[in-house]
């Protein structure tokens, strides 16, 4: 298939070209796909977008008019695509349903340990020749209660690691995961999880009903001084409420790999720009906040699976083979 890979970075080009069996004509552009740039789809029956591309109704209508029939997403999350509109426009959407859940789960643990043991401060101190330990006091993870919000593939991988560290685990999900139950995860209401956990880690997808799941009210339910980790999607947290919770010192630590307005910032180099997102800049001023630019997925193993699956999705579509990676507006079919 002739496929335009949008928001393509050098590593995408390298890994997708290596995975391509030669059957598909892949064209790489670093353009971010949205309603303003949708005209680039002209001549491409398939597009391969990433999470910073926006496939809203307007974009989908344009690309459908230009002849695009297939979207092969280089991601698990599909919140950046208006799926009902894609269906209406006759565009098939496929994703990478399963890639290393370990990449994201291990990264969430990395954020927890960084914040708990103040590694971000220690790194700079030692480089400055300052070997004082004041302000670096942490806590044992062993025996602490961690609340996992969303116990699907990534949540379960996280549960396994934290179980090994001797944590007590609470889970919140609409569908309890037997693997987590075997590990001793106790399923409770979101309110109970927030109140009882010293660390809360978010692993549910972004849907209209989960947008601002962590609002002012829910942040207030968290126990005093608790840590919040978000490696799922930025809009799960209301940023204004988050800043207020940090300023009041109610929230003790925050680790973000995703940010509500990341589309304007992430995956680009702004080092010579003035960043005008005041909320983002405010978050950076807190000593108990660590922010990274949506890199939790970024391991060799995950990239290989993402690219292999993307090529497999193109193969399956071209020969009309059924695939577990099809995304449908009917969520129970996912
Ligand atoms: P998954 O589908 O395996 O698990 C999601 C879980 O959330 C499921 O168990 C589901 O029942 C639960 N859930 C859905 N809606 C819910 C609701 N309203 N209330 C309670 N529970 C609900 O997905 P996964 O592979 O574990 O990925 C989780 C999310 O992680 C993805 O949707 C994506 O947004 C994010 N992600 C981030 C990165 C990154 O690099 N930062 C990489 C991959 C995935």
């Amino acid at each position: 298939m002739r496929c335009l890979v949008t928001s393509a970075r050098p590593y995408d080009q390298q890994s997708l070209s290596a995975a391509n069996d030669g059957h598909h004509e892949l064209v790489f552009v670093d353009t971010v796909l949205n309603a303003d740039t949708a005209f680039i789809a002209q001549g491409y029956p398939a597009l391969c977008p990433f999470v910073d591309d926006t496939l809203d109704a307007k974009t989908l209508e344009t690309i459908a008019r230009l002849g695009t029939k297939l979207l092969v997403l280089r991601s698990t999350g599909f919140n950046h695509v208006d799926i009902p509109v894609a269906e209406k426009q006759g565009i098939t959407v496929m994703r990478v349903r399963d890639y290393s859940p370990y990449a994201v789960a291990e990264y969430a643990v990395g954020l927890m340990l960084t914040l708990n043991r103040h590694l971000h401060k220690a790194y700079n101190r030692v480089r400055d020749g300052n070997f004082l330990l004041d302000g670096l006091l942490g806590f044992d993870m062993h025996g602490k209660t961690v609340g996992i919000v969303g116990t699907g593939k990534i949540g379960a991988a996280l549960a396994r690691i934290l179980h090994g560290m001797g944590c007590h685990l609470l889970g919140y999900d609409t569908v309890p995961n037997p693997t987590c139950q075997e590990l001793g995860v106790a399923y409770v209401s979101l309110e109970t999880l927030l109140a009882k956990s010293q660390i809360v880690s978010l692993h549910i997808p972004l849907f209209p009903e989960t947008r601002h799941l962590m609002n002012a009210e829910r942040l207030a339910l968290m126990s005093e001084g608790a840590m919040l980790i978000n490696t799922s999607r930025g809009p799960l947290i209301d940023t204004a409420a988050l800043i207020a919770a940090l300023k009041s010192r109610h929230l003790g630590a925050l680790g973000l790999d995703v940010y509500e307005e990341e589309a304007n910032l992430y995956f680009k180099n702004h080092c010579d720009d003035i960043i005008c997102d005041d909320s983002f800049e405010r978050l950076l001023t807190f000593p108990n906040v660590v922010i990274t630019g949506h890199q939790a997925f970024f391991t060799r193993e995950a990239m290989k699976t993402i690219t292999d699956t993307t090529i497999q999705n193109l193969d399956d579509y071209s020969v009309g083979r059924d695939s577990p990676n099809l995304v449908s507006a009917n969520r129970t079919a996912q």
Side-chain angles (χ1 to χ4, degrees):
M1 288 194 80
R2 192 167 150 73
C3 177
L4 183 69
V5 184
T6 57
S7 292
R9 279 91 206 184
Y11 49 81
D12 292 311
Q13 180 152 1
Q14 200 179 21
S15 51
L16 273 168
S17 301
N20 190 14
D21 51 12
H23 290 128
H24 307 291
E25 186 191 339
L26 303 181
V27 176
F28 297 88
V29 287
D30 61 5
T31 312
V32 175
L33 188 65
N34 55 40
D36 295 331
T37 61
F39 62 87
I40 61 174
Q42 174 84 52
Y44 292 96
L47 299 181
C48 179
F50 191 52
V51 293
D52 47 340
D53 294 307
T54 305
L55 289 118
D56 54 11
K58 209 169 155 203
T59 311
L60 289 165
E61 280 155 20
T62 307
I63 63 170
R65 205 170 51 245
L66 295 172
T68 298
K69 293 269 171 241
L70 172 68
L71 297 176
V72 280
L73 310 181
R74 310 199 294 285
S75 58
T76 299
F78 48 87
N79 53 283
H80 52 306
V81 185
D82 190 327
I83 300 297
V85 173
E87 273 185 7
K88 201 169 122 208
Q89 294 293 336
I91 297 174
T92 300
V93 182
M94 302 176 86
R95 64 170 174 151
V96 184
R97 186 191 172 97
D98 259 320
Y99 69 85
S100 169
Y102 315 108
V104 183
E106 289 168 11
Y107 197 84
V109 175
L111 286 174
M112 289 173 198
L113 292 175
T114 301
L115 287 159
N116 169 13
R117 308 303 296 270
H118 311 283
L119 300 181
H120 53 306
K121 290 188 210 163
Y123 174 80
N124 287 322
R125 270 196 203 183
V126 170
R127 289 171 74 87
D128 279 349
N130 176 357
F131 299 94
L132 290 172
L133 298 184
D134 309 60
L136 301 185
L137 191 65
F139 55 82
D140 284 3
M141 293 289 286
H142 183 94
K144 295 298 175 295
T145 300
V146 183
I148 304 177
V149 179
T151 57
K153 291 179 283 299
I154 296 171
L158 178 66
R160 220 169 280 124
I161 300 169
L162 295 173
H163 175 73
M165 293 172 90
C167 298
H168 301 299
L169 300 173
L170 297 178
Y172 170 72
D173 200 300
T174 39
V175 189
N177 182 336
T179 306
C180 291
Q181 287 172 315
E182 276 166 33
L183 288 169
V185 174
Y187 281 89
V188 292
S189 68
L190 182 57
E191 288 68 26
T192 304
L193 180 149
L194 295 174
K196 295 243 163 95
S197 302
Q198 279 95 45
I199 300 175
V200 173
S201 197
L202 304 182
H203 301 284
I204 55 168
L206 176 63
F207 292 134
E209 69 273 18
T210 58
R211 190 187 160 76
H212 286 187
L213 179 91
M214 293 306 292
N215 54 19
E217 199 185 3
R218 297 236 171 79
L219 286 163
L221 287 177
M222 287 180 71
S223 65
E224 187 81 33
M227 180 191 294
L228 178 62
I229 302 290
N230 187 8
T231 56
S232 188
R233 285 293 181 263
L236 292 177
I237 309 181
D238 176 351
T239 306
L242 191 57
I243 292 171
L246 286 160
K247 282 168 80 174
S248 71
R249 294 177 166 75
H250 181 71
L251 188 61
L254 172 71
L256 295 182
D257 184 50
V258 288
Y259 168 64
E260 196 169 5
E261 302 297 335
E262 70 179 50
N264 300 323
L265 288 173
Y266 282 15
F267 308 112
K268 298 173 204 97
N269 185 352
H270 295 279
C271 72
D272 291 324
D273 290 350
I274 306 292
I275 293 180
C276 292
D277 183 332
D278 291 350
S279 297
F280 186 81
E281 291 299 299
R282 182 67 180 100
L283 281 173
L284 288 179
T285 66
F286 294 99
N288 51 350
V289 173
V290 170
I291 306 180
T292 55
H294 206 138
Q295 68 171 84
F297 73 98
F298 200 46
T299 64
R300 282 186 198 92
E301 293 78 4
M303 281 301 287
K304 174 146 177 43
T305 311
I306 289 169
T307 50
D308 287 352
T309 308
T310 300
I311 298 299
Q312 182 70 47
N313 285 343
L314 286 168
D315 288 345
D316 288 346
Y317 180 88
S318 352
V319 298
R321 205 168 23 227
D322 199 17
S323 165
N325 296 325
L326 286 167
V327 181
S328 113
N330 172 9
R331 280 201 216 135
T332 53
Q334 306 299 328

